[in-house]
């Protein structure tokens, strides 16, 4: 079998002797349930000018060899398209490389030890930032407060973001610098945690409250940020990720991206989302910001391109800030809340849609998804939204009626299966929600385009961990949640390739190993599609090509 088209060209590079999973499918085929695509048992790929010019059996490939063609013998190893994480925060994950990683703490004591170490090497007054503590995974899951930090760090202000990115704990020095006292009122859309005497206890909930402290933390310099983009690029390519949709960027952060690109430091295809931060200003101001942005979705090139406007419409279940149709299991007094009203959201979506933007909405609660879909329907009244591909981010509990609207209006969803493994949310959820959480199978069966992603730095972006979690659905205790929602390794691969390319309107140029596509190709050390499902997790990247150039290489 051959997928080559005679181009009469001498290749720059030829990959030989690979087991090639092409993922050569169209989105329409995937929607209709087709999952089989050509797999070349002993195949070769020819590349010229950054593009794939042949995908063929070994016998055919000789006609593409010229005297300057570089030949890479893959020795039978497995080849997949460059992986795409369609919802992560690459920019912030890069910045986090400069902060303390708290994700592996299993107790408050662990967190305190890391803080102690950092204080000992910090200058007086220097801010100490960290992220990804998760008290749900601690021996004692009580939330930490400023009192747990104060003795260790009196002079250095501390800002530790929780894994959900909707809650942080800070010390008294940080509260003092931010001017937060007993008399400070909760900002609209946020909550300042307080002790029994009404004193701030160091916990802050949602962007509006987090922002009170974040606004006094000195920003990184532009050069530091460029370096962090370069650093995250190295980590991505070592994990086989050649493209991301990078969410929640300000215009200034987008300019930094452009600077990194121009300096040759951008080593992954970034589709950047402009953040319409609902915590900053009123609805009127959000609309004004859209009007003033001199750009829209699609602006850019193959390396750096504008994706959607991002609107964060609610929070997470563990912080009771996701807006649910029914009250919380552990607190029947609340259903959570949305960050803006349905009417405000409609105005924002309609405006963005009218200007030519795609819109991606963070919706975790099922009630929030109702509000988001109402916004998309309002836009659809102005002009058809089907081609624009507005989408939902997360949406872990779709109801039947919501699935129908999504299908009808071509609204895809970006999901993060690694959260099933690492976030340990089951204790705060009703049992049916814990079992149906992130229902990849249901999404596939309903013809909804389901993109594979991580939401890193919330959880690690390793796509093999994500695919493993979607296939196995096991938490940290190895307990299985929702056996009926497990998908096959092939479906998981489709999620991180072709389906993810859908969200940036690029399934015709990437997400598969097809003639004419950008030569983003990954070679791994095992056939994780055919091998034991538990073993997907252990997959290691041997070689990553971006635009036909080797950007990561382990020994083959
Ligand atoms: Zn996110």
């Amino acid at each position: 079998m051959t997928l080559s088209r005679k181009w009469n060209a001498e290749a720059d590079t030829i990959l030989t002797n690979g087991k090639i999973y092409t993922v050569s499918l169209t989105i329409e085929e995937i929607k209709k349930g087709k999952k089989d695509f050509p797999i070349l048992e002993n195949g070769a790929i020819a590349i010229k000018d950054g593009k794939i010019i042949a995908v063929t059996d070994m016998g055919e490939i000789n006609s593409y060899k010229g005297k300057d063609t570089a030949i890479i013998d893959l020795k039978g190893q497995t080849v997949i398209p460059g992986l795409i994480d369609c919802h992560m925060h690459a920019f912030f994950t890069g910045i986090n490389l400069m902060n303390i990683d708290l994700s592996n703490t299993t107790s408050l004591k662990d967190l305190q030890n890391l803080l102690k170490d950092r204080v000992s090497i910090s200058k007086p007054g220097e801010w100490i930032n960290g992220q990804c503590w998760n008290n749900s995974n601690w021996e004692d899951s009580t939330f930490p407060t400023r009192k747990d930090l104060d003795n260790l760090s009196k002079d250095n202000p501390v800002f530790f973001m929780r894994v959900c990115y909707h809650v942080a704990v800070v010390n008294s020095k940080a509260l003092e610098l931010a001017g937060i006292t007993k008399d400070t009122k909760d900002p609209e859309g946020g909550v300042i945690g307080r002790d029994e005497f009404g004193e701030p206890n160091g916990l802050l909930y949602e962007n509006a409250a987090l922002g009170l402290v974040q606004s006094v933390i000195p920003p990184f310099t532009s050069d530091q940020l460029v370096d962090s983009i370069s650093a995250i690029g190295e980590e991505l390519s070592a994990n086989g990720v050649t493209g991301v949709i990078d969410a929640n960027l300000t215009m200034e952060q987008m300019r930094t991206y452009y600077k990194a690109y121009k300096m040759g430091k951008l080593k992954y295809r970034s589709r950047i989302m402009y953040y319409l931060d609902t915590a900053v200003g009123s609805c009127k101001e959000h609309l004004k910001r859209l009007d003033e942005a001199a750009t829209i979705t699609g602006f850019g090139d193959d390396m750096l391109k504008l994706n959607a406007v991002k609107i964060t419409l609610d929070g997470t279940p563990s912080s009771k800030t996701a807006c649910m149709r029914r009250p919380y299991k552990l607190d029947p007094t609340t259903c959570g809340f949305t960050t803006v009203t349905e009417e405000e959201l409609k105005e924002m979506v309609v405006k963005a849609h009218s200007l030519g933007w795609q819109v991606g909405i963070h919706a975790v609660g099922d009630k929030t998804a109702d509000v988001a879909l109402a916004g998309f329907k309002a836009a659809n009244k102005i002009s058809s939204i089907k081609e624009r591909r507005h989408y939902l981010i997360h949406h872990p509990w779709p109801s039947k009626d919501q699935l129908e609207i999504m299908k009808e209006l071509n609204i895809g969803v970006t999901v993060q299966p690694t959260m099933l493994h690492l976030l340990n949310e089951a204790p705060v959820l009703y049992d049916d929600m814990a079992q149906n959480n992130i229902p990849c199978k249901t999404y596939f069966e309903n013809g909804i385009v389901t993109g594979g992603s991580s939401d890193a730095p919330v959880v690690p972006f390793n796509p093999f961990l994500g695919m493993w979690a979607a296939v196995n659905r096991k938490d940290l205790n190895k307990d299985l949640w929702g056996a009926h929602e497990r998908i096959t390794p092939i479906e998981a691969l489709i999620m991180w390739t072709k389906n993810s390319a859908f969200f940036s309107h690029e399934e015709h140029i990437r997400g598969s190993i097809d003639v004419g596509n950008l030569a983003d190709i990954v070679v791994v050390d095992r056939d994780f599609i055919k091998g034991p499902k538990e073993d997907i997790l252990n997959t290691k990247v041997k070689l990553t090509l971006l635009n036909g150039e080797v950007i990561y290489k382990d020994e083959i």
Side-chain angles (χ1 to χ4, degrees):
M1 188 235 345
T2 175
L3 298 174
S4 69
R5 188 191 301 156
K6 281 278 187 270
W7 227 332
N8 260 346
E10 285 182 6
D12 298 328
T13 306
I14 290 179
L15 307 177
T16 62
N17 294 310
K19 174 161 186 182
I20 305 171
Y21 285 94
T22 62
V23 199
S24 182
L25 287 166
T26 67
I27 291 293
E28 282 315 309
E29 286 172 335
I30 297 167
K31 279 185 175 179
K32 286 184 188 131
K34 184 167 189 264
K35 279 146 209 166
D36 54 320
F37 50 75
I39 300 165
L40 280 67
E41 289 294 334
N42 189 22
I45 301 168
I47 298 164
K48 188 172 178 60
D49 298 332
K51 290 195 172 153
I52 297 169
I53 58 167
V55 184
T56 176
D57 290 329
M58 285 299 293
E60 285 269 321
I61 202 70
N62 284 331
S63 57
Y64 295 90
K65 272 184 201 159
K67 62 177 186 348
D68 296 323
T69 303
I71 310 283
I72 303 176
D73 183 356
L74 302 180
K75 300 176 184 157
Q77 296 198 85
T78 297
V79 185
I80 54 175
L83 298 168
I84 304 168
D85 187 322
C86 62
H87 179 77
M88 72 173 289
H89 306 273
F91 187 87
F92 301 115
T93 311
I95 290 175
N96 283 355
L97 295 173
M98 301 190 241
N99 296 338
I100 312 180
D101 176 10
L102 302 166
S103 61
N104 291 324
T105 55
T106 57
S107 64
L108 174 62
K109 193 95 215 117
D110 278 354
L111 175 141
Q112 289 173 318
N113 285 337
L114 288 169
L115 174 58
K116 209 160 52 189
D117 291 348
R118 185 58 75 101
V119 170
S120 70
I121 55 165
S122 298
K123 294 185 203 111
E126 195 177 10
W127 277 82
I128 295 178
N129 299 310
Q131 65 278 326
C132 290
W133 55 275
N134 185 1
N135 54 315
S136 306
N137 289 340
W138 291 355
E139 293 146 18
D140 173 359
S141 63
T142 313
F143 275 78
T145 67
R146 68 185 164 93
K147 292 198 172 126
D148 298 311
L149 312 175
D150 281 349
N151 284 340
L152 298 166
S153 183
K154 284 201 175 61
D155 302 323
N156 294 93
V158 176
F159 183 89
F160 282 170
M161 187 75 95
R162 192 177 182 276
V163 64
C164 60
Y165 278 72
H166 292 261
V167 181
V169 62
V170 305
N171 66 348
S172 294
K173 186 76 191 172
L175 288 171
E176 181 196 317
L177 290 172
I180 298 174
T181 67
K182 194 175 180 178
D183 302 324
T184 309
K185 288 206 180 73
D186 286 348
E188 206 175 318
V191 173
I192 298 168
R194 295 172 201 269
D195 64 17
E196 67 267 40
F197 309 108
E199 291 283 349
N201 65 5
L203 285 164
L204 303 164
Y205 301 86
E206 295 305 316
N207 278 341
L210 297 170
L212 298 175
V213 172
Q214 283 170 316
S215 61
V216 298
I217 301 175
F220 289 111
T221 66
S222 170
D223 287 344
Q224 282 175 316
L225 294 174
V226 166
D227 285 344
S228 72
I229 288 173
S230 160
I232 190 63
E234 279 178 34
E235 301 243 334
L236 288 167
S237 57
N239 282 276
V241 178
T242 54
V244 306
I245 295 182
D246 194 345
N248 294 38
L249 298 171
T250 62
M251 284 290 169
E252 189 181 350
Q253 288 160 347
M254 291 180 173
R255 286 193 286 275
T256 305
Y257 245 119
Y258 191 63
K259 182 173 168 186
Y261 179 27
K262 283 286 145 195
M263 290 170 76
K265 295 200 172 187
L266 180 63
K267 294 290 181 206
Y268 53 100
R269 299 187 195 282
S270 195
R271 306 296 173 250
I272 50 182
M273 293 184 94
Y274 175 43
Y275 192 28
L276 210 52
D277 188 352
T278 52
V280 182
S282 64
C283 179
K284 234 185 172 166
E285 286 165 84
H286 307 325
L287 300 176
K288 191 163 166 256
R289 278 158 59 206
L290 280 174
D291 263 329
E292 286 171 354
T295 184
I296 52 169
T297 298
F299 183 78
D301 66 14
D302 284 345
M303 281 304 291
L304 184 61
K305 192 183 283 185
L306 271 176
N307 184 251
V309 159
K310 159 94 187 275
I311 300 170
T312 299
L313 197 49
D314 70 352
T316 68
S318 45
S319 53
K320 290 184 284 185
T321 51
C323 189
M324 308 300 303
R325 284 180 178 178
R326 56 179 154 167
Y328 274 89
K329 179 176 135 186
L330 299 183
D331 184 358
T333 64
T334 182
C335 295
F337 55 90
T338 55
T339 55
V340 293
T341 66
E342 183 167 319
E343 281 318 303
E344 287 171 328
L345 182 82
K346 276 184 187 166
E347 268 193 81
M348 287 157 70
V349 174
V350 164
K351 166 67 93 181
H353 177 76
S354 308
L355 289 169
W357 284 98
Q358 186 181 11
V359 179
I361 300 181
H362 164 119
V364 172
D366 46 4
K367 177 70 194 158
T368 308
D370 286 334
V371 175
L373 291 173
F376 290 149
K377 281 204 266 185
N380 195 49
K381 283 194 184 130
I382 308 291
S383 64
S384 171
I385 66 167
K386 275 191 186 169
E387 292 306 313
R388 195 69 62 79
R389 302 183 183 179
H390 299 317
Y391 61 95
L392 293 173
I393 299 160
H394 311 304
H395 196 21
W397 297 290
S399 60
K400 249 191 148 127
D401 52 314
Q402 291 170 340
L403 289 167
E404 262 158 44
I405 298 168
M406 291 171 76
K407 188 169 184 179
E408 189 194 318
L409 296 178
N410 199 24
I411 294 165
V413 62
T414 64
V415 297
Q416 300 78 31
T418 300
M419 291 185 182
L420 291 169
H421 178 56
L422 289 179
L423 285 201
N424 192 20
E425 283 179 323
V428 305
L429 302 173
Y430 292 103
D431 189 58
D432 63 299
M433 288 169 71
Q435 299 292 347
N436 296 326
N437 198 358
I438 315 184
C440 296
K441 190 100 202 160
T442 295
Y443 275 131
F444 265 96
E445 282 172 2
N446 281 274
I448 310 294
V449 181
T450 314
S453 65
S454 63
D455 206 7
V458 175
V459 294
F461 59 77
N462 176 358
F464 299 99
L465 172 59
M467 289 190 260
W468 172 86
V471 170
N472 292 285
R473 295 183 66 91
K474 285 187 184 161
D475 66 14
L476 282 171
N477 302 322
K478 300 204 170 79
D479 288 330
L480 169 65
W481 293 91
H484 59 288
E485 292 294 352
R486 284 177 298 183
I487 57 169
T488 65
I490 282 280
E491 288 168 322
L493 180 63
I494 291 171
M495 281 172 64
W496 261 265
T497 52
K498 192 56 90 177
N499 276 7
S500 274
F502 166 88
F503 293 89
S504 51
H505 297 256
E506 289 174 303
E507 71 274 12
H508 57 291
I509 54 164
R510 54 193 192 118
S512 60
I513 298 178
D514 274 309
V515 172
N517 274 15
L518 298 167
D520 299 350
I521 296 165
V522 171
V523 180
V524 294
D525 68 345
R526 70 199 68 205
D527 185 352
F528 67 96
I529 301 290
K530 262 205 156 163
K533 289 176 180 172
E534 278 291 343
D535 194 41
I536 298 171
L537 187 59
N538 302 320
T539 308
K540 295 275 176 294
V541 171
K542 290 299 211 177
L543 188 69
T544 303
L545 279 82
L546 179 79
N547 265 334
E549 303 276 332
V550 174
I551 54 164
Y552 174 80
K553 189 172 192 260
D554 194 6
E555 216 150 283
I556 295 182

